[in-house]
Amino acid sequence: MLTFQIQFPLAFGEAVYVCGNSKELGHWNPMQALRMQWSEGDIWKSTLEINIIDQEFQDIEYKYFFGEFDRPQNIEWEMGPNRIVRTNENTIITDIWNHRKILFQCYNPNKYPIFVSGSCYDLGIFQRRVSMKQKEDISYIRILVNILEEREISYQFHYIKKRHYTSPLYQLNLNNTNDYYKNYIVVFCEGLIQIKRSIYQLDNHICYGYVPADQDDFNSLKKANLSTIIEFQNSLQQYSHSIKKYDDFTYYIVNICINQNFINYFQRLYQFIQVQIQKYNLIYICNNSMKHLRKYLQLYQRLIILQ
């Protein structure tokens, strides 16, 4: 059996329906959808009499809508892509209207402290890192995403051994995913050996880190869709910048003159970075001194506020 339940308050005379790609769910015909039963707390429930024990995993595609109680007229579908439940056992599916559940997992047999950060609220909006729980050899965390606010999520894994490691920046498109466990979208990091390169995110347009030193570094940048690199070099000479091509990368070298007037210099630097953002949208800024780099970026953020 497969039980669906969702909380959704409605006016008297209205009901929630569940419709999907199976015969029991009406083959996406709203007139044949399954009307759910109301219970206390505005919880709507429906149970499908499907025997799925001892069978292979099945994908059942479905979605909720509400309409008139007597028959599904004047209906309104929930937003977002179709839901999918993947299971091979009797399951109770609990959903939230216009939200999707996401399960982040990472293979971690050594049980290192692992964190994940990302662009949505439950992942800290890149302002904080969220600790993952541990079960046997797997680190995991479950989050809830409002589909009206987030159609694509940026995220990174972080773990602590003798030093901090950060994965490349990944993207999850909620409209285009096919990895599920029950009614959770599953995001899986295969192993900590893949979390090698330090790539940090300042905002939606700027990532930063150390200067790429070898092909592995460039491969990590490529996986994170970072094809525009701006390297800051400390110098006593005049401010200057040059550009070169490296494989599929556009590589700028900006000569930072530490003897110049800081305000005038950083105003020019701010304008330069803004031009690159308008041109490439996403850029990677690097320096071999993380302390200096973060200092430059802090000044850059202050200039943004003043503009």
Side-chain angles (χ1 to χ4, degrees), residues 255-273:
N255 190 21
I256 295 179
C257 180
I258 59 178
N259 280 347
Q260 289 188 359
N261 181 285
F262 246 40
I263 298 299
N264 292 336
Y265 166 72
F266 273 102
Q267 285 178 343
R268 289 201 301 272
L269 185 62
Y270 167 82
Q271 294 171 355
F272 173 77
I273 292 176

mmCIF file of all heavy atoms in Angstrom, residues 255-273:
data_model
loop_
_atom_site.group_PDB
_atom_site.id
_atom_site.type_symbol
_atom_site.label_atom_id
_atom_site.label_comp_id
_atom_site.label_asym_id
_atom_site.label_seq_id
_atom_site.Cartn_x
_atom_site.Cartn_y
_atom_site.Cartn_z
ATOM 1 N N ASN A 255 47.423 43.143 -11.653
ATOM 2 C CA ASN A 255 48.567 43.553 -10.843
ATOM 3 C C ASN A 255 48.101 44.575 -9.809
ATOM 4 O O ASN A 255 47.691 45.686 -10.150
ATOM 5 C CB ASN A 255 49.639 44.162 -11.757
ATOM 6 C CG ASN A 255 50.945 44.385 -11.018
ATOM 7 O OD1 ASN A 255 51.182 43.772 -9.989
ATOM 8 N ND2 ASN A 255 51.769 45.268 -11.541
ATOM 9 N N ILE A 256 48.119 44.188 -8.541
ATOM 10 C CA ILE A 256 47.660 45.063 -7.463
ATOM 11 C C ILE A 256 48.838 45.884 -6.955
ATOM 12 O O ILE A 256 49.824 45.334 -6.466
ATOM 13 C CB ILE A 256 47.055 44.244 -6.310
ATOM 14 C CG1 ILE A 256 45.797 43.528 -6.795
ATOM 15 C CG2 ILE A 256 46.748 45.129 -5.119
ATOM 16 C CD1 ILE A 256 45.150 42.675 -5.746
ATOM 17 N N CYS A 257 48.732 47.189 -7.092
ATOM 18 C CA CYS A 257 49.795 48.085 -6.631
ATOM 19 C C CYS A 257 49.480 48.545 -5.212
ATOM 20 O O CYS A 257 48.557 49.327 -4.991
ATOM 21 C CB CYS A 257 49.925 49.289 -7.564
ATOM 22 S SG CYS A 257 51.230 50.431 -7.061
ATOM 23 N N ILE A 258 50.238 48.058 -4.244
ATOM 24 C CA ILE A 258 49.928 48.343 -2.844
ATOM 25 C C ILE A 258 50.373 49.737 -2.423
ATOM 26 O O ILE A 258 50.061 50.184 -1.321
ATOM 27 C CB ILE A 258 50.582 47.296 -1.923
ATOM 28 C CG1 ILE A 258 52.102 47.302 -2.111
ATOM 29 C CG2 ILE A 258 50.018 45.919 -2.188
ATOM 30 C CD1 ILE A 258 52.830 46.332 -1.198
ATOM 31 N N ASN A 259 51.112 50.457 -3.292
ATOM 32 C CA ASN A 259 51.560 51.808 -2.947
ATOM 33 C C ASN A 259 50.574 52.880 -3.394
ATOM 34 O O ASN A 259 50.711 54.036 -3.035
ATOM 35 C CB ASN A 259 52.931 52.096 -3.578
ATOM 36 C CG ASN A 259 54.058 51.476 -2.757
ATOM 37 O OD1 ASN A 259 53.833 51.060 -1.627
ATOM 38 N ND2 ASN A 259 55.245 51.416 -3.338
ATOM 39 N N GLN A 260 49.594 52.495 -4.196
ATOM 40 C CA GLN A 260 48.649 53.479 -4.697
ATOM 41 C C GLN A 260 47.606 53.825 -3.640
ATOM 42 O O GLN A 260 47.444 53.125 -2.638
ATOM 43 C CB GLN A 260 47.951 52.943 -5.946
ATOM 44 C CG GLN A 260 48.870 52.870 -7.151
ATOM 45 C CD GLN A 260 48.095 52.515 -8.402
ATOM 46 O OE1 GLN A 260 46.902 52.314 -8.363
ATOM 47 N NE2 GLN A 260 48.799 52.456 -9.520
ATOM 48 N N ASN A 261 46.904 54.935 -3.891
ATOM 49 C CA ASN A 261 45.803 55.319 -3.020
ATOM 50 C C ASN A 261 44.748 54.218 -3.020
ATOM 51 O O ASN A 261 44.218 53.849 -4.061
ATOM 52 C CB ASN A 261 45.197 56.637 -3.521
ATOM 53 C CG ASN A 261 44.065 57.111 -2.635
ATOM 54 O OD1 ASN A 261 42.975 56.558 -2.689
ATOM 55 N ND2 ASN A 261 44.332 58.142 -1.846
ATOM 56 N N PHE A 262 44.458 53.690 -1.828
ATOM 57 C CA PHE A 262 43.584 52.523 -1.728
ATOM 58 C C PHE A 262 42.194 52.791 -2.290
ATOM 59 O O PHE A 262 41.633 51.965 -2.995
ATOM 60 C CB PHE A 262 43.489 52.084 -0.259
ATOM 61 C CG PHE A 262 44.098 50.744 -0.013
ATOM 62 C CD1 PHE A 262 45.274 50.383 -0.640
ATOM 63 C CD2 PHE A 262 43.486 49.842 0.837
ATOM 64 C CE1 PHE A 262 45.848 49.144 -0.420
ATOM 65 C CE2 PHE A 262 44.045 48.590 1.065
ATOM 66 C CZ PHE A 262 45.235 48.246 0.433
ATOM 67 N N ILE A 263 41.627 53.960 -1.969
ATOM 68 C CA ILE A 263 40.258 54.247 -2.395
ATOM 69 C C ILE A 263 40.176 54.314 -3.913
ATOM 70 O O ILE A 263 39.315 53.671 -4.535
ATOM 71 C CB ILE A 263 39.757 55.555 -1.766
ATOM 72 C CG1 ILE A 263 39.743 55.433 -0.237
ATOM 73 C CG2 ILE A 263 38.359 55.883 -2.290
ATOM 74 C CD1 ILE A 263 38.840 54.341 0.286
ATOM 75 N N ASN A 264 41.072 55.084 -4.535
ATOM 76 C CA ASN A 264 41.059 55.201 -5.991
ATOM 77 C C ASN A 264 41.322 53.862 -6.649
ATOM 78 O O ASN A 264 40.692 53.499 -7.656
ATOM 79 C CB ASN A 264 42.102 56.217 -6.459
ATOM 80 C CG ASN A 264 41.736 57.628 -6.039
ATOM 81 O OD1 ASN A 264 40.566 57.927 -5.818
ATOM 82 N ND2 ASN A 264 42.740 58.492 -5.920
ATOM 83 N N TYR A 265 42.254 53.115 -6.072
ATOM 84 C CA TYR A 265 42.591 51.823 -6.660
ATOM 85 C C TYR A 265 41.397 50.871 -6.622
ATOM 86 O O TYR A 265 41.043 50.246 -7.623
ATOM 87 C CB TYR A 265 43.781 51.194 -5.943
ATOM 88 C CG TYR A 265 43.924 49.746 -6.294
ATOM 89 C CD1 TYR A 265 44.364 49.369 -7.556
ATOM 90 C CD2 TYR A 265 43.525 48.761 -5.403
ATOM 91 C CE1 TYR A 265 44.445 48.043 -7.912
ATOM 92 C CE2 TYR A 265 43.599 47.431 -5.751
ATOM 93 C CZ TYR A 265 44.063 47.077 -7.011
ATOM 94 O OH TYR A 265 44.120 45.769 -7.358
ATOM 95 N N PHE A 266 40.767 50.758 -5.469
ATOM 96 C CA PHE A 266 39.679 49.794 -5.351
ATOM 97 C C PHE A 266 38.432 50.224 -6.105
ATOM 98 O O PHE A 266 37.615 49.390 -6.473
ATOM 99 C CB PHE A 266 39.363 49.518 -3.878
ATOM 100 C CG PHE A 266 40.221 48.428 -3.302
ATOM 101 C CD1 PHE A 266 41.293 48.730 -2.498
ATOM 102 C CD2 PHE A 266 39.978 47.102 -3.611
ATOM 103 C CE1 PHE A 266 42.101 47.727 -1.995
ATOM 104 C CE2 PHE A 266 40.778 46.091 -3.113
ATOM 105 C CZ PHE A 266 41.848 46.402 -2.300
ATOM 106 N N GLN A 267 38.284 51.504 -6.347
ATOM 107 C CA GLN A 267 37.194 51.927 -7.218
ATOM 108 C C GLN A 267 37.414 51.420 -8.636
ATOM 109 O O GLN A 267 36.473 50.959 -9.292
ATOM 110 C CB GLN A 267 37.074 53.452 -7.203
ATOM 111 C CG GLN A 267 36.444 53.991 -5.930
ATOM 112 C CD GLN A 267 36.376 55.494 -5.904
ATOM 113 O OE1 GLN A 267 37.064 56.174 -6.674
ATOM 114 N NE2 GLN A 267 35.558 56.032 -5.018
ATOM 115 N N ARG A 268 38.666 51.485 -9.124
ATOM 116 C CA ARG A 268 38.978 50.932 -10.444
ATOM 117 C C ARG A 268 38.818 49.413 -10.449
ATOM 118 O O ARG A 268 38.317 48.824 -11.407
ATOM 119 C CB ARG A 268 40.406 51.318 -10.857
ATOM 120 C CG ARG A 268 40.568 52.788 -11.198
ATOM 121 C CD ARG A 268 41.797 53.022 -12.063
ATOM 122 N NE ARG A 268 43.018 52.573 -11.408
ATOM 123 C CZ ARG A 268 43.746 53.320 -10.594
ATOM 124 N NH1 ARG A 268 43.370 54.557 -10.340
ATOM 125 N NH2 ARG A 268 44.842 52.844 -10.053
ATOM 126 N N LEU A 269 39.258 48.782 -9.347
ATOM 127 C CA LEU A 269 39.130 47.332 -9.248
ATOM 128 C C LEU A 269 37.662 46.918 -9.219
ATOM 129 O O LEU A 269 37.262 45.937 -9.860
ATOM 130 C CB LEU A 269 39.839 46.826 -7.990
ATOM 131 C CG LEU A 269 39.891 45.311 -7.802
ATOM 132 C CD1 LEU A 269 40.655 44.665 -8.947
ATOM 133 C CD2 LEU A 269 40.525 44.954 -6.467
ATOM 134 N N TYR A 270 36.849 47.673 -8.495
ATOM 135 C CA TYR A 270 35.412 47.403 -8.437
ATOM 136 C C TYR A 270 34.799 47.482 -9.836
ATOM 137 O O TYR A 270 34.026 46.606 -10.245
ATOM 138 C CB TYR A 270 34.745 48.406 -7.500
ATOM 139 C CG TYR A 270 33.237 48.431 -7.591
ATOM 140 C CD1 TYR A 270 32.465 47.499 -6.907
ATOM 141 C CD2 TYR A 270 32.585 49.386 -8.372
ATOM 142 C CE1 TYR A 270 31.086 47.511 -7.000
ATOM 143 C CE2 TYR A 270 31.207 49.408 -8.465
ATOM 144 C CZ TYR A 270 30.457 48.474 -7.777
ATOM 145 O OH TYR A 270 29.093 48.484 -7.872
ATOM 146 N N GLN A 271 35.150 48.530 -10.581
ATOM 147 C CA GLN A 271 34.617 48.688 -11.932
ATOM 148 C C GLN A 271 35.057 47.541 -12.835
ATOM 149 O O GLN A 271 34.268 47.029 -13.641
ATOM 150 C CB GLN A 271 35.066 50.034 -12.512
ATOM 151 C CG GLN A 271 34.468 51.235 -11.787
ATOM 152 C CD GLN A 271 35.073 52.548 -12.228
ATOM 153 O OE1 GLN A 271 36.027 52.571 -13.018
ATOM 154 N NE2 GLN A 271 34.546 53.655 -11.727
ATOM 155 N N PHE A 272 36.319 47.122 -12.689
ATOM 156 C CA PHE A 272 36.831 46.015 -13.499
ATOM 157 C C PHE A 272 36.053 44.732 -13.218
ATOM 158 O O PHE A 272 35.631 44.017 -14.140
ATOM 159 C CB PHE A 272 38.321 45.810 -13.207
ATOM 160 C CG PHE A 272 38.905 44.592 -13.854
ATOM 161 C CD1 PHE A 272 39.223 44.580 -15.203
ATOM 162 C CD2 PHE A 272 39.133 43.443 -13.114
ATOM 163 C CE1 PHE A 272 39.759 43.453 -15.806
ATOM 164 C CE2 PHE A 272 39.669 42.309 -13.701
ATOM 165 C CZ PHE A 272 39.982 42.319 -15.052
ATOM 166 N N ILE A 273 35.829 44.420 -11.944
ATOM 167 C CA ILE A 273 35.107 43.199 -11.581
ATOM 168 C C ILE A 273 33.666 43.262 -12.069
ATOM 169 O O ILE A 273 33.122 42.270 -12.578
ATOM 170 C CB ILE A 273 35.166 42.976 -10.056
ATOM 171 C CG1 ILE A 273 36.605 42.650 -9.633
ATOM 172 C CG2 ILE A 273 34.226 41.848 -9.629
ATOM 173 C CD1 ILE A 273 36.783 42.516 -8.133
#
